[in-house]
Amino acid sequence: MRSTNVSRRAVKAGLIATAAGLIATGLAAAVPTAAGAAPRPQGSAWGLAASGLLDLAPMPVVSSADKETSKNLLHLGDAKLVKADAVDVKAAPTNARSTVAGLGVAPAKLTADAVDAKCENGKGSTRLARAVLGGRTLQAAPPPNTTIPVDIDGVGRTSLTLNKQERLANGKLAVTGMELKLPVAKGSTVRVSSATCGQAARHAEKPNKPAGPSAPKPAGEAPAPTPVRNDLPVTG
């Protein structure tokens, strides 16, 4: 029994380490505080979510307004529909990151060795490792909100959005590595790698202290007037 547990931990560590090696490393929702105090920044992240075709709540989920916190899971979803071999998520006050390894979305013929979404101090990015859609290799560092048409055999055309970035009402940035719409059922959507963060609070600069009145000069004799000669222009 002990050897089985050790083996599972080794597989888990290997999958996450592989994803980390494929993607460059890097690392949130304001939390109300006492009246009059500045809101504390908070980061959050989750790995995989699906609705419609497969009802999968976002998981695993982390959030933090203090020190960095993290979670990881193995083997999420359904291999025939949507699955991930491993997920690793991290969150800190102004940073969040989600890495999904071994992604497969069978209906869309979408696979990826790793999908990594990162939000850092209000700025986001997505990195893909060996991501393939219907035999077509996807860009490793797609620009924000890159949309690609997807044709699903026997179903119709839909779309895949890479590096989806949304500015929320509270000013924070939400980054989703992949968002795939599936026309097989109303509202069917697969979302992969989500990271949300805000900016660190900025401290207002202290105003310069105004100079006080200059000290009066001691009384003394007035200086002798200096004659000034003016040359006036002459017209005629």
Side-chain angles (χ1 to χ4, degrees):
M1 185 69 176
R2 183 179 179 183
S3 61
T4 301
N5 291 336
V6 172
S7 176
R8 288 179 178 174
R9 287 197 297 269
V11 171
K12 180 178 179 181
L15 286 168
I16 293 173
T18 299
L22 292 168
I23 302 292
T25 56
L27 259 172
V31 176
T33 57
R40 296 179 62 190
Q42 180 177 358
S44 60
W46 50 263
L48 185 65
S51 60
L53 180 65
L54 175 66
D55 189 12
L56 179 65
M59 62 185 305
V61 178
V62 293
S63 63
S64 178
D66 189 8
K67 61 184 180 180
E68 180 180 301
T69 183
S70 64
K71 288 183 182 178
N72 48 68
L73 288 176
L74 290 176
H75 309 305
L76 296 181
D78 184 338
K80 295 181 180 180
L81 297 173
V82 181
K83 64 94 178 178
D85 291 338
V87 178
D88 183 56
V89 291
K90 299 181 177 71
T94 58
N95 302 282
R97 185 176 186 179
S98 173
T99 303
V100 173
L103 173 72
V105 185
K109 299 179 181 178
L110 172 64
T111 62
D113 283 2
V115 179
D116 181 89
K118 182 173 66 172
C119 186
E120 188 169 25
N121 199 27
K123 297 181 180 180
S125 64
T126 292
R127 297 290 181 271
L128 309 177
R130 290 194 278 274
V132 179
L133 174 66
R136 172 188 174 186
T137 300
L138 300 178
Q139 188 176 355
N145 302 311
T146 297
T147 302
I148 302 172
V150 180
D151 291 314
I152 300 179
D153 295 340
V155 178
R157 171 162 285 201
T158 183
S159 63
L160 172 68
T161 302
L162 305 176
N163 192 18
K164 183 176 181 178
Q165 298 193 15
E166 302 174 278
R167 187 66 63 178
L168 306 181
N170 58 12
K172 287 194 277 188
L173 180 70
V175 183
T176 303
M178 288 183 175
E179 182 178 273
L180 175 66
K181 303 290 186 180
L182 293 174
V184 292
K186 185 177 180 180
S188 289
T189 305
V190 176
R191 296 180 178 87
V192 184
S193 293
S194 173
T196 301
C197 73
Q199 292 182 324
R202 296 182 179 180
H203 299 286
E205 295 182 1
K206 294 182 179 180
N208 294 328
K209 184 178 180 180
S214 56
K217 294 182 179 180
E221 295 182 358
T226 302
V228 177
R229 179 176 179 181
N230 292 324
D231 294 326
L232 300 177
V234 178
T235 60

